Amino acid sequence: MKKELLSLDGSKALRGIAILGIILHNYCHFLGFAVKENEYTFTAAKPIMLWDRIMALDHNLFVHILSFFGHYGVPVFLFISGFGLVRKYEQNLSSHVRTLPFIGVHYLKLLRLMFLGYIGFAVVSWLHPHGYHGYTFGRVVAQLLMYINMLPDPDHIIKPGPYWFFGLMLQLYAVYRLLIYRRGTFCVIALIIVCWAAQAVFTPAVDSGGEILNRIRYNFIGGMLPFGMGIIYARHGRSLPVWGNAVVAVVSAAVVFAGSFLFHTWLWVPLFVVTGAVATIKLLPASVLRPCIWVGGISSALFVVHPILREIIIKMSYRGQVYTGIILYVVLSVVCAWLFARLLRFIPVPKNK
């Protein structure tokens, strides 16, 4: 693997852009007027609705676009994770990573991030008269052990909602160590194809309510494409000239938009989200990327704290102060994430022995 494929600053910039998309999406799609996304299931009317808003130059177009596309920050994180695993564990051929310690250490790293945020969200929900009060012993245990993604009706039991990502990552760590680690790239491609096929059969005509597809996409099957592409890129990627990155960025953006209108192309949109994001950061000057790099450095903390701030601030947008609420939410989320990141320094990071 060549280091210039994706530098540390490039990785941070990607994380910074991805987390801003995620937190803004997780705010905007709760606003009643916003065009809703196709994240876990596909509804043909949603992209058509977005197109109507674009053509009408709706004054809330910024909200519609973030609500519809912002969740694609998740595939970017999955791509970076796959890329980073190869760089960390496959370069040194003299060392060997044991399965259970590998999975255990990554579980503890995820728990270290999640635990304080989970408590904070539960407290805010308990104090808020309209907050989530559906915690049960079983759901708390399932969230802390990160298997809640596999339970029925994940939409309504994973609280805070974005924390489903922790369970997804734990599954992908296990998949990597058990099926991918130091095995041929053919295994990665085979996994991507199998996971695509497991989703492709549940078209809207077959799975009219989307219940099956929804359940599948909360788990590793739904994230294997961008995660696997990160692994393939780390192993076999090549650097492109400026004009090549420009072509990739433009084509990827067009495919992401056009591919959102049909079910079978929608399944492949995350691939082009990733290619477009990587090409874009390679085109942008360092002065533009610097704020994204800084945000990327606190992206994990920002992911943890933003649902708590959303619960408190979103009522402002409900009352009509839409953009004031969004700006306040982003600023306070970044400040709290910075403080949270500093607090995390006092909690030891689990390491493989």
Side-chain angles (χ1 to χ4, degrees), residues 11-265:
S11 176
K12 285 184 178 179
L14 279 175
R15 289 201 300 266
I17 294 169
I19 192 60
L20 288 174
I22 289 169
I23 70 169
L24 285 166
H25 159 76
N26 284 333
Y27 188 98
C28 291
H29 82 148
F30 274 103
L31 303 178
F33 62 84
V35 176
K36 303 304 184 281
E37 73 284 357
N38 283 326
E39 184 172 6
Y40 311 109
T41 58
F42 180 84
T43 302
K46 291 178 180 178
I48 294 173
M49 190 180 300
L50 176 66
W51 178 250
D52 290 341
R53 299 296 186 275
I54 293 173
M55 290 294 97
L57 293 178
D58 190 300
H59 67 281
N60 285 315
L61 184 58
F62 178 75
V63 174
H64 298 313
I65 290 175
L66 286 171
S67 174
F68 190 84
F69 289 112
H71 68 92
Y72 283 120
V74 172
V76 176
F77 271 112
L78 297 181
F79 171 84
I80 297 169
S81 297
F83 183 92
L85 286 172
V86 172
R87 184 167 64 177
K88 184 173 182 179
Y89 294 108
E90 296 185 16
Q91 281 185 309
N92 186 359
L93 297 179
S94 63
S95 64
H96 181 77
V97 180
R98 292 178 297 161
T99 302
L100 290 180
F102 175 87
I103 297 173
V105 164
H106 281 90
Y107 165 74
L108 292 175
K109 286 181 178 179
L110 293 170
L111 184 63
R112 173 179 174 268
L113 281 173
M114 183 184 74
F115 188 70
L116 292 178
Y118 188 58
I119 293 173
F121 184 87
V123 170
V124 169
S125 296
W126 181 71
L127 293 174
H128 198 292
H130 301 293
Y132 178 73
H133 297 123
Y135 288 107
T136 64
F137 178 78
R139 291 178 184 177
V140 171
V141 170
Q143 181 65 70
L144 293 178
L145 294 180
M146 302 178 199
Y147 65 83
I148 197 166
N149 305 48
M150 294 182 273
L151 299 182
D153 195 23
D155 286 343
H156 299 103
I157 64 173
I158 299 177
K159 297 294 179 180
Y163 282 20
W164 71 275
F165 183 77
F166 291 109
L168 172 66
M169 279 310 309
L170 186 62
Q171 292 177 26
L172 288 172
Y173 285 135
V175 168
Y176 171 77
R177 180 56 190 85
L178 293 171
L179 302 176
I180 296 173
Y181 174 65
R182 293 188 178 174
R183 289 183 170 88
T185 301
F186 173 78
C187 293
V188 183
I189 296 172
L191 275 170
I192 290 174
I193 293 173
V194 169
C195 290
W196 160 78
Q199 300 171 75
V201 296
F202 296 108
T203 64
V206 174
D207 182 26
S208 59
E211 289 86 357
I212 300 173
L213 188 63
N214 185 67
R215 186 91 173 267
I216 287 174
R217 287 176 63 85
Y218 262 102
N219 294 281
F220 80 91
I221 293 174
M224 191 62 221
L225 173 60
F227 182 74
M229 291 310 302
I231 292 167
I232 294 172
Y233 184 65
R235 291 178 177 177
H236 307 290
R238 296 290 183 270
S239 294
L240 297 177
V242 172
W243 67 266
N245 284 317
V247 170
V248 171
V250 171
V251 171
S252 296
V255 174
V256 167
F257 184 79
S260 298
F261 286 81
L262 297 172
F263 173 77
H264 286 292
T265 53

